[in-house]
Amino acid sequence: MITIETDGARVLFNPEGGHLDLVEFVVDGVTLRPMHRAHWRTGEHNDGVPEAVDAEAGITLKSLAGDFFCAPFAENDTGDGPYHGWPANGMWDLVGQHEPEGGGVTARFLLRNRVLGAQLFKEITLRPGHPVVYQTHRFVGGEGAISAGHHPMVRVDGGARLSFSAKAFGATPATPLESDPARGRSALVYPQEFADLSAVKLASGGTVDLRSLPGPDASEDFLLLAEAPGHRLGWSAVLAPAGGFIYLGLRDPRVLPFTLLWLSNGGRDYAPFSGRHKSVLGVEEACSFFIDGYRASIAPNTLTARGYPTALALVPDGERAIHFAFGAIPAPAGWREVTDVSANATAVTLTDCGGESRQMPFRGDFLGAME
């Protein structure tokens, strides 16, 4: 593991698969650990005896923790590499650390494998006093287009309230994550489209309000939220009063137009999940056609027909950069739901449904999303 830290955040980086294995934020002397780490991982924050992970399952599952970058996103039918691609399964070499303008630290890594011929660099930046992890992935060279996305996972033990920047619609993919009752269960209707998370159809009948989690028990589900057009700051907020934190993910929706939610709540009976992988929320920010993989994402599909990109074009003689940031602040007493997030040059402002606001230090020019 490689440690990257400032006085506002600490990251343990796992070069095997590029996972942010442990993420801590420090705000006013309070240490927050909102990110998930699978129970089969050895070491700190496990809930019991680790379970064996089949070697054929790949590094992504073996190393499952925090956040990691995927290219292609999900099914890898490029003919080269495992599920979620080499960025989530290959080895990353540290090529240097430096102090960026404004202070802090930037650690730069290079993936040993190429992605469609491109070199892929990962930059993780921590700023003094910022409870934020800033990440940039740079594809240098390469040909064609690739689906890509981040895969942050948040613990929602004790419940959480979800909110997002404006969405045009939501949908589930064509098939459920788990369709064999001998292995597991999915609770939602597949496929379906819905206006918002307040009324998502259940396979058993009726609807469920997925703004409040953990959601249906003993189930494994997946859905997509498509960004509404016309704004530059995409955000995802998870208010977890029992956990004592608000998680906030920030991105440019013109690059990553979809928020993909993985609701993992004990719906997989097989190892290493073994019915124990519960109260886990993947708040995945991506440019992809659901989880159908590389070929489905680069081809015309139902999302591209509605004007959404589902793959990012590489630049043979240049680079393509993807920026993503996430952080956390303590959950203020009495807050029920984040209803607005705005950014300026030095901070993001979170506003509760009751009208109260809190600020989180943030480098506004990182996403070009300042007011």
Side-chain angles (χ1 to χ4, degrees):
M1 299 291 176
I2 297 172
T3 301
I4 310 163
E5 62 183 321
T6 63
D7 58 353
R10 181 169 76 104
V11 172
L12 294 185
F13 178 76
N14 185 355
E16 187 178 35
H19 292 222
L20 278 56
D21 191 76
L22 176 66
V23 180
E24 296 178 332
F25 300 109
V26 180
V27 183
D28 297 329
V30 177
T31 299
L32 304 173
R33 291 172 174 164
M35 311 308 290
H36 171 61
R37 193 173 192 271
H39 65 263
W40 55 83
R41 299 300 313 282
T42 57
E44 195 175 7
H45 308 309
N46 282 349
D47 66 355
V49 177
E51 300 182 37
V53 180
D54 191 330
E56 295 182 359
I59 297 301
T60 297
L61 191 58
K62 175 185 174 183
S63 300
L64 193 69
D67 177 35
F68 53 92
F69 184 70
C70 312
F73 191 86
E75 188 67 33
N76 187 2
D77 47 7
T78 65
D80 175 32
Y83 194 82
H84 280 320
W86 286 116
N89 293 274
M91 289 296 298
W92 291 85
D93 294 317
L94 178 65
V95 295
Q97 293 193 44
H98 69 276
E99 180 178 324
E101 181 180 354
V105 59
T106 294
R108 194 166 193 244
F109 302 88
L110 173 63
L111 181 67
R112 291 183 186 177
N113 303 84
R114 293 195 174 225
V115 179
L116 297 186
Q119 287 186 301
L120 182 58
F121 291 88
K122 179 192 298 283
E123 297 169 6
I124 300 173
T125 297
L126 304 180
R127 300 277 182 181
H130 289 211
V132 179
V133 178
Y134 300 88
Q135 295 182 77
T136 298
H137 287 84
R138 301 184 188 277
F139 292 91
V140 178
E143 294 186 1
I146 191 78
S147 60
H150 276 268
H151 199 292
M153 295 164 290
V154 181
R155 296 293 314 177
V156 291
D157 304 281
R161 185 71 170 180
L162 310 185
S163 52
F164 306 91
S165 49
K167 306 302 179 188
F169 62 91
T172 57
T175 57
L177 291 185
E178 296 297 337
S179 57
D180 181 353
R183 290 173 56 82
R185 297 148 304 281
S186 292
L188 304 181
V189 168
Y190 294 81
Q192 67 171 301
E193 185 171 316
F194 46 89
D196 57 57
L197 287 175
S198 65
V200 182
K201 293 178 183 178
L202 290 165
S204 59
T207 63
V208 61
D209 185 350
L210 291 179
R211 295 174 299 177
S212 294
L213 293 183
D217 189 33
S219 64
E220 205 81 14
D221 286 286
F222 185 88
L223 52 88
L224 173 148
L225 302 175
E227 199 77 10
H231 53 96
R232 297 180 62 182
L233 178 63
W235 57 268
S236 301
V238 181
L239 171 58
F245 64 82
I246 300 175
Y247 163 91
L248 183 65
L250 298 161
R251 74 197 195 287
D252 183 343
R254 297 167 299 179
V255 179
L256 301 175
F258 305 113
T259 298
L260 308 175
L261 300 182
W262 173 33
L263 311 178
S264 186
N265 196 31
R268 285 176 168 158
D269 298 331
Y270 51 90
F273 297 92
S274 303
R276 300 171 62 203
H277 199 255
K278 297 181 177 180
S279 298
V280 179
L281 171 67
V283 195
E284 305 162 22
E285 315 290 2
C287 182
S288 175
F289 184 68
F290 293 94
I291 49 175
D292 288 19
Y294 165 75
R295 295 190 184 280
S297 295
I298 65 171
N301 55 61
T302 57
L303 296 176
T304 59
R306 298 170 80 155
Y308 289 93
T310 56
L312 301 169
L314 302 181
V315 184
D317 297 321
E319 70 171 45
R320 182 69 188 258
I322 300 173
H323 306 288
F324 171 66
F326 71 89
I329 62 171
W335 276 39
R336 292 177 291 134
E337 180 180 350
V338 176
T339 54
D340 186 62
V341 174
S342 60
N344 59 28
T346 60
V348 289
T349 300
L350 296 80
T351 303
D352 177 60
C353 59
E356 189 177 353
S357 295
R358 289 286 190 277
Q359 285 196 329
M360 181 176 78
F362 181 69
R363 187 75 179 261
D365 60 355
F366 177 70
L367 296 172
M370 295 183 292
E371 295 174 334

